[in-house]
Amino acid sequence: VEDEDLEIGAATPLQDVVDSPIAYSTTAGLLPTACRAAVPSRLLRGMATIGGEAIHDDPDSELAAALLALNAVFVVAHPQEPLESPALRFLRAPAADLAGGGILRAVLIPGAPHGAALERAAVLPSLPPLVAVAVTTTFSGEKLARVRLAVTGLITAPARFIEAEAQLERTAGEEDVLERAASLVSGHAPFRDDAAAPAEVRRRIARP
């Protein structure tokens, strides 16, 4: 940790993140929770790395959703010049930032949120989620100063919903505000229609 930012080497095994007290305190518990959810097997978590999972381009990745909600920054070593790519850009198409010989070196988590949560719905705990939602919050007094909300189960990679975040920011999270934000996500997110679940089912799951 440097200047309140958490730096995680790209080759760090997920199990190391799960076992790290620092990872809990600097991410309000979200990153270790997402690592455990994304790879339920402890044995596999010992082999899977945070960098490998980030560039895997999995539309159902709870870890990618958590990194979006945490405003992660991806540090890429490149033959031409180093690159620091925000999660909004990097996770949309990791290959673009790695093209030409780039290597993911580290993941930075800037500052600790005041609160965070990961909710998922799956047919079985060991299966990928039909929908997962990762959220971080930062407060100013009684008001939500910053909200970051990311969703999986889309036709794209996991994505943040900035319109829903804007509904929640500068409010105290009143029930009608939460309803409007939920409506934005369930109504406008491009949920995937596949053999696991129709898009309409994913929409209904996402709302609560």
Side-chain angles (χ1 to χ4, degrees):
V1 178
E2 187 173 344
D3 295 330
E4 299 185 357
D5 297 340
L6 173 65
E7 179 174 350
I8 306 171
T12 302
L14 299 189
Q15 187 59 45
D16 285 10
V17 178
V18 171
D19 293 337
S20 168
I22 292 174
Y24 276 90
S25 61
T26 55
T27 69
L30 178 58
L31 195 58
T33 299
C35 288
R36 192 182 291 110
V39 182
S41 164
R42 182 184 180 92
L43 178 63
L44 293 179
R45 285 198 302 271
M47 295 184 284
T49 65
I50 193 162
E53 291 297 305
I55 67 171
H56 186 52
D57 206 15
D58 177 4
D60 299 319
S61 172
E62 295 103 327
L63 182 54
L67 291 170
L68 281 164
L70 288 163
N71 276 335
V73 176
F74 293 83
V75 181
V76 177
H78 201 279
Q80 295 174 359
E81 61 178 344
L83 174 69
E84 291 191 359
S85 181
L88 268 175
R89 167 179 156 165
F90 186 88
L91 292 172
R92 189 181 300 127
D97 284 336
L98 299 174
I103 297 174
L104 181 60
R105 186 180 69 77
V107 180
L108 298 178
I109 309 294
H114 292 152
L118 174 69
E119 296 289 343
R120 70 192 304 271
V123 177
L124 292 171
S126 58
L127 291 179
L130 300 177
V131 175
V133 180
V135 182
T136 62
T137 57
T138 302
F139 288 87
S140 177
E142 297 292 319
K143 297 293 182 76
L144 289 160
R146 190 178 71 186
V147 177
R148 296 292 179 263
L149 185 154
V151 182
T152 75
L154 310 175
I155 59 175
T156 65
R160 268 178 52 195
F161 279 87
I162 294 171
E163 297 88 349
E165 295 170 357
Q167 283 286 328
L168 294 163
E169 290 175 345
R170 298 179 298 281
T171 75
E174 297 88 352
E175 188 171 345
D176 61 325
V177 174
L178 295 174
E179 283 293 327
R180 286 198 298 273
S183 294
L184 280 170
V185 174
S186 63
H188 297 287
F191 286 106
R192 194 168 72 253
D193 196 345
D194 60 16
E200 185 53 39
V201 168
R202 296 181 199 269
R203 289 188 191 285
R204 291 203 301 269
I205 291 171
R207 186 180 182 87

